[in-house]
Amino acid sequence: MSIKQFSSRTALIEALSAIIIKELQGDIDANDHASLAVPGGSTPGPIFDHLSQSELNWEKITVLPDDDRCVPETSEHSNAAQIKSRLLKDNAANAHFIPLYTGIETNNVPPAQEAELANLGQLTTVLLGMGGDMHTASLFPGDQILAAHSSKILHYVPVPGMAPKVPRISLTHSAINAARSRHLVLFGQAKLSAYQKAMELGDPVKAPISAIKDLHVYWAD
Ligand code: 6PG
């Protein structure tokens, strides 16, 4: 998969936001609804800020995390909290949000969330980040779910491969691959090298990002 390289992070954010907006509008035009799954971490915040200003009919869009930590939204580690504060504001304030973590300690995927996502159907767009260990969402190296296709949409991760070391709930690689499109955003040389290493390894268990198919990759230093 080719990597689109940008001269600045700002240029990448503007170009990728325009692509995501076009995809969401296309699904709204065709199906009167669209859905967007987004990552946590430090990378997506400026993209969220940009998307929140777009003139989309956000009332027809469902937003959900690619993964979340099993913590309350008051926690600094909550991806739902970052999505609500950086994306679901301004024009995007009226989008529908589906949390992955519902606050019920189940030590597993909340069945209601799996059912709600099944009912949502094919996701329009999945925006992904990647860790230096080549994980994406909360699919970490060594997780055997990556060894084969999974019929599940959500996956419970009791001990993630990096901080914060709290249980996670993640979209499966199969659920991500079932979406209409997938976009990976990478900032900095280390992430670029890690992605290139993942492509060389081509082993989904060792390099989870390589389990993601038909991935559009965007990089700026
Ligand atoms: C999360 C994300 C995770 C993230 C990578 C990269 O919950 O942390 O979904 O997969 O995309 O860890 O994080 P940074 O953007 O902070 O490097």
Side-chain angles (χ1 to χ4, degrees):
M1 179 52 65
S2 66
I3 300 173
K4 294 183 178 69
Q5 302 195 11
F6 292 82
S7 57
S8 71
R9 296 187 181 190
T10 300
L12 183 155
I13 290 164
E14 290 172 355
L16 178 51
S17 296
I19 290 166
I20 292 171
I21 289 165
K22 185 177 180 182
E23 290 180 349
L24 294 174
Q25 187 60 58
D27 228 355
I28 289 171
D29 291 345
N31 301 298
D32 202 35
H33 182 265
S35 51
L36 172 63
V38 294
S42 61
T43 299
I47 300 173
F48 293 170
D49 293 337
H50 203 86
L51 289 173
S52 70
Q53 304 309 307
S54 67
E55 295 292 331
L56 287 163
N57 186 345
W58 285 95
E59 293 185 357
K60 296 187 174 184
I61 297 173
T62 297
V63 174
L64 62 144
D66 296 339
D67 63 318
D68 212 340
R69 299 72 179 271
C70 296
V71 296
E73 289 186 16
T74 51
S75 165
E76 63 176 322
H77 298 311
S78 169
N79 289 343
Q82 176 173 237
I83 293 166
K84 290 183 176 181
S85 67
R86 299 289 294 269
L87 177 52
L88 303 185
K89 63 182 182 183
D90 302 331
N91 294 347
N94 293 328
H96 177 58
F97 178 71
I98 298 179
L100 301 192
Y101 176 65
T102 59
I104 302 167
E105 288 307 327
T106 60
N107 295 330
N108 209 324
V109 169
Q113 298 320 94
E114 180 86 9
E116 187 168 7
L117 291 187
N119 186 51
L120 183 63
Q122 184 181 31
L123 298 174
T124 309
T125 300
V126 179
L127 176 64
L128 295 165
M130 189 194 75
D133 62 351
M134 303 174 284
H135 85 266
T136 192
S138 282
L139 303 169
F140 290 94
D143 193 331
Q144 290 306 311
I145 195 174
L146 290 153
H149 172 79
S150 171
S151 59
K152 297 197 302 180
I153 296 170
L154 294 175
H155 176 49
Y156 181 73
V157 184
V159 184
M162 70 181 290
K165 291 277 192 172
V166 295
R168 315 273 190 100
I169 295 172
S170 178
L171 290 175
T172 62
H173 57 302
S174 301
I176 294 168
N177 287 332
R180 293 184 193 282
S181 75
R182 287 151 293 282
H183 304 282
L184 172 66
V185 50
L186 301 171
F187 288 153
Q189 287 294 336
K191 291 280 187 78
L192 179 62
S193 300
Y195 178 74
Q196 291 167 332
K197 177 183 174 186
M199 293 303 102
E200 290 164 10
L201 281 172
D203 179 330
V205 176
K206 289 179 182 173
I209 192 65
S210 68
I212 307 304
K213 309 301 182 196
D214 301 325
L215 187 60
H216 301 282
V217 185
Y218 309 79
W219 176 80
D221 198 357

